[in-house]
Amino acid sequence: MTPRLASRPLALGVLLLALPLAACTAFSSAQAATTSSPGLTAGTSADLAKFYGQQLVWKSCDKGYQCSRLSVPLNYAEPSGATIQIAVVRKPATNRAQRLGSLVVNPGGPGGSGISYATSGDVLDSSLTARYDLVGFDPRGVGQSNPVQCLTDSQMDQFVDTPSNPDTPAELVKVQQESQLFAQQCEAKSGSLLPHIGTVDAARDMDILRAALGDKQLNYLGKSYGTLLGATYAQEFPQRVGRFVLDGAIDPNLTAEQENLTQAEAFDKELHLFLADCVKQSNCPMGTTDPNVAFTKLENWVTGLEAHPITGDGTRMLDQAYALTGISVAMYDQTWWPTLRQALTSAFKGSGATLLAMADAYNDRENGRFVDNEIAANYAVNCVDHPDEATSVAQIQASLPTFEKDAPFFGPMVDWSSLPCAYWKASATDSPHTIAARGAGPIIVVGTTNDPATPYSWAQGLAKELASGRLLTMNGDGHTAYRRGSTCIDGAVDAYYLTGALPTSGTVCQQTS
């Protein structure tokens, strides 16, 4: 099946790979850097205090970054028990004399690597990297932090290519078998971690990281799922919230079905916007100037690929599952739209190579290998964060007519993508709830009006629920807003981090590029 649609920004034409800790070279003893805790708050248990009191030992990495490892409890209910290691990377502020502290970033997912994101080179404006240490970390179960392990590469190829909308008994059996195998292999290889991989545990890790960085309060930029992680931190530790920006917000008050349906609707909406733009272009392959006709043509063509796949990369064919995944990539960022027009032009002529490459970019697959564990971590977190994720085939079949009606293109794919959670052994540890984070300082919530992955209504919801939320809107396309083509958004966010000045309530910015 097509994997769950991720809530994280996607880069155009480039896969952001983790900075290997194995490549770190130790400082000399004269260069060794440590960061000590700024102190503990009352009520911290003795077993937990040792984690808050640890010192990070930094080692040099490539391109001016420094690497370290943070020790945290596997199970916060038993802090004297097993521990896990969290991989951390930082780039020290260039203006040390006017340093404001650390700024921790998270790209979303769940399952996205904070190390890959922080080292990508285009996360913050230079005015911020002058005053803040840029810090990224791989959350527990992700990348270099005790990664969740599930399928082999060949098994993952089968998993991501199972039918997106099983409409025959044979296809349904295939989807059930792949979902069961996925859940079983995750349990077999990572069973001890799965009950402790939820967002609340990751938020508690962030507070230990804050202390180890030497900061009394956490300054944070969370994108996409990273907004849920940040909001959860604010709920758990409101007095330790520094300058928080949550961009591409998730509304924690929604059920899993509500999230999935509104996301599917938003992807369909963005597809309509793509086609409305496409039919105006001279190189649009849809053969019509009517975007509604183009939508029907594309929908019928993708559906037909299940029975009649076309040539892909020489070893794999482009079928419905891969085509849906490849098309979804371009919904995250309108800079992908020319690539999608080119891909569809070739595909309509029988060559699915470009569209398959786009699907591989989404799945982080290179040269036959899946280069990270984001798909595994995404399911692991979502299945324990949401007790109402898919509980059975019957549940999905019951909701399917609504998904097919409200989001005919992406809806069935999104609905069926939750099925592995029906076979998940680890119990859910969270449930839909309002996050007010009373006592926290101001939190900017950024929403984009045509965001497909985190619909604008989610940003509106979270900003309203937070006692100190301030909504900042970008009128535009694609997933997230900061550093995505609006000088208005960028200026407001940068000013907040540098001076604490909030944007005027009700500010709406335009996307200009």
Side-chain angles (χ1 to χ4, degrees):
M1 69 183 63
T2 302
R4 294 178 59 94
L5 290 172
S7 296
R8 56 160 167 97
L10 294 176
L12 174 61
V14 114
L15 293 177
L16 304 179
L17 304 182
L19 187 68
L21 287 176
C24 295
T25 56
F27 284 173
S28 68
S29 58
Q31 294 172 311
T34 61
T35 306
S36 60
S37 167
L40 303 174
T41 58
T44 304
S45 72
D47 288 331
L48 201 53
K50 67 181 181 182
F51 296 100
Y52 276 91
Q54 70 186 290
Q55 293 185 329
L56 292 176
V57 178
W58 297 98
K59 300 178 180 180
S60 63
C61 301
D62 295 338
K63 300 177 182 178
Y65 289 89
Q66 300 170 345
C67 299
S68 190
R69 291 257 179 194
L70 179 78
S71 181
V72 298
L74 170 64
N75 181 358
Y76 276 89
E78 299 177 0
S80 62
T83 62
I84 56 176
Q85 299 294 306
I86 304 298
V88 185
V89 68
R90 76 174 177 184
K91 192 166 191 178
T94 56
N95 185 347
R96 304 303 291 175
Q98 294 185 301
R99 179 180 175 273
L100 293 171
S102 305
L103 205 169
V104 177
V105 298
N106 179 276
S113 168
I115 289 179
S116 296
Y117 185 54
T119 58
S120 65
D122 192 35
V123 179
L124 302 174
D125 185 77
S126 60
S127 64
L128 300 187
T129 54
R131 305 287 300 281
Y132 285 97
D133 296 344
L134 170 61
V135 177
F137 72 102
D138 284 354
R140 56 173 58 206
V142 174
Q144 300 175 43
S145 299
N146 291 73
V148 173
Q149 301 291 337
C150 297
L151 302 180
T152 65
D153 288 331
S154 60
Q155 289 173 328
M156 187 66 79
D157 272 336
Q158 292 295 316
F159 178 74
V160 300
D161 193 32
T162 49
S164 300
N165 185 15
D167 51 12
T168 68
E171 288 181 350
L172 181 58
V173 168
K174 178 67 172 175
V175 169
Q176 287 178 285
Q177 289 176 338
E178 289 296 330
S179 297
Q180 289 172 333
L181 178 64
F182 185 90
Q184 290 166 356
Q185 289 300 301
C186 292
E187 178 65 27
K189 296 179 180 180
S190 301
S192 62
L193 176 61
L194 297 184
H196 310 292
I197 200 173
T199 300
V200 171
D201 283 320
R204 291 170 179 166
D205 294 344
M206 282 210 302
D207 197 52
I208 293 178
L209 175 60
R210 170 203 60 78
L213 291 170
D215 295 331
K216 293 183 178 180
Q217 291 185 311
L218 177 69
N219 302 305
Y220 179 74
L221 171 64
K223 290 201 168 190
S224 205
Y225 162 79
T227 66
L228 179 62
L229 180 58
T232 301
Y233 179 92
Q235 182 78 347
E236 293 282 315
F237 309 100
Q239 300 299 326
R240 300 174 196 170
V241 170
R243 294 174 184 173
F244 263 47
V245 176
L246 307 179
D247 181 11
I250 290 177
D251 185 348
N253 202 33
L254 299 177
T255 66
E257 185 171 323
Q258 289 172 327
E259 275 192 14
N260 291 341
L261 182 59
T262 52
Q263 187 185 59
E265 291 171 340
F267 268 88
D268 268 38
K269 175 185 175 183
E270 190 69 7
L271 179 61
H272 278 285
L273 292 171
F274 160 74
L275 291 170
D277 176 78
C278 180
V279 298
K280 298 175 184 177
Q281 308 298 325
S282 60
N283 64 343
C284 181
M286 302 313 299
T288 178
T289 58
D290 186 334
N292 292 320
V293 174
F295 181 88
T296 301
K297 178 180 178 178
L298 184 60
E299 184 179 25
N300 291 338
W301 177 77
V302 169
T303 300
L305 289 174
E306 193 57 39
H308 303 287
I310 62 175
T311 301
D313 62 0
T315 59
R316 295 171 297 158
M317 303 292 283
L318 181 80
D319 56 17
Q320 182 185 29
Y322 281 133
L324 283 168
T325 305
I327 292 169
S328 73
V329 168
M331 303 302 102
Y332 284 86
D333 191 328
Q334 71 274 22
T335 59
W336 281 89
W337 288 6
T339 304
L340 180 56
R341 290 198 302 270
Q342 176 190 2
L344 291 175
T345 298
S346 298
F348 289 169
K349 295 177 181 178
S351 173
T354 303
L355 209 50
L356 185 58
M358 292 171 70
D360 284 348
Y362 180 90
N363 291 325
D364 292 332
R365 184 186 189 272
E366 291 184 347
N367 300 318
R369 293 186 59 254
F370 291 81
V371 298
D372 58 39
N373 76 320
E374 182 165 353
I375 294 174
N378 187 288
Y379 277 101
V381 174
N382 277 309
C383 290
V384 298
D385 269 4
H386 296 284
D388 55 340
E389 281 286 7
T391 57
S392 66
V393 169
Q395 179 193 4
I396 292 178
Q397 290 173 327
S399 62
L400 192 59
T402 301
F403 279 76
E404 291 175 329
K405 174 179 177 293
D406 294 351
F409 196 89
F410 288 108
M413 174 188 78
V414 172
D415 201 18
W416 280 107
S417 70
S418 297
L419 186 58
C421 291
Y423 308 107
W424 215 252
K425 185 174 180 180
S427 299
T429 56
D430 207 348
S431 60
H433 59 285
T434 297
I435 290 181
R438 299 190 185 281
I443 298 174
I444 295 179
V445 179
V446 187
T448 301
T449 53
N450 295 323
D451 189 326
T454 52
Y456 181 60
S457 61
W458 295 3
Q460 292 174 304
L462 179 59
K464 184 177 180 179
E465 293 161 24
L466 287 167
S468 58
R470 176 66 59 90
L471 180 64
L472 176 62
T473 299
M474 182 173 81
N475 185 19
D477 294 296
H479 184 38
T480 71
Y482 179 60
R483 297 185 69 75
R484 286 202 59 256
S486 172
T487 55
C488 171
I489 291 287
D490 295 352
V493 170
D494 293 342
Y496 176 60
Y497 279 127
L498 291 171
T499 69
L502 288 168
T504 303
S505 182
T507 296
V508 178
C509 298
Q510 299 298 316
Q511 187 177 43
T512 54
S513 64

